[in-house]
Amino acid sequence: MALANVDGVGTGRDEESGEDVIVVFVTQKVPREELRPEDTIPDALEGVPVRVLAMDPD
């Protein structure tokens, strides 16, 4: 994903539901309303849920 703030992409399991997910690693989480529409990470890709994890949670 060539989006601003995205450092990497992988796969994993959701800790709560146990379902397979796509994990998008970002430098820091930014509220959706502060992002440009073209930099917004979708909630799902091809039906697979997406989770966003901050590399630097501070």
Side-chain angles (χ1 to χ4, degrees):
M1 298 185 84
L3 301 175
N5 200 34
V6 172
D7 293 325
V9 179
T11 59
R13 288 206 187 272
D14 185 273
E15 292 178 358
E16 294 179 20
S17 69
E19 67 183 330
D20 291 333
V21 295
I22 296 169
V23 183
V24 179
F25 299 96
V26 296
T27 306
Q28 63 182 15
K29 278 194 169 183
V30 177
R32 189 176 290 252
E33 59 273 3
E34 292 180 21
L35 292 170
R36 298 179 307 171
E38 60 268 21
D39 290 329
T40 301
I41 296 170
D43 293 328
L45 290 170
E46 296 185 16
V48 180
V50 173
R51 300 295 182 259
V52 178
L53 293 178
M55 298 299 291
D56 182 11
D58 293 334

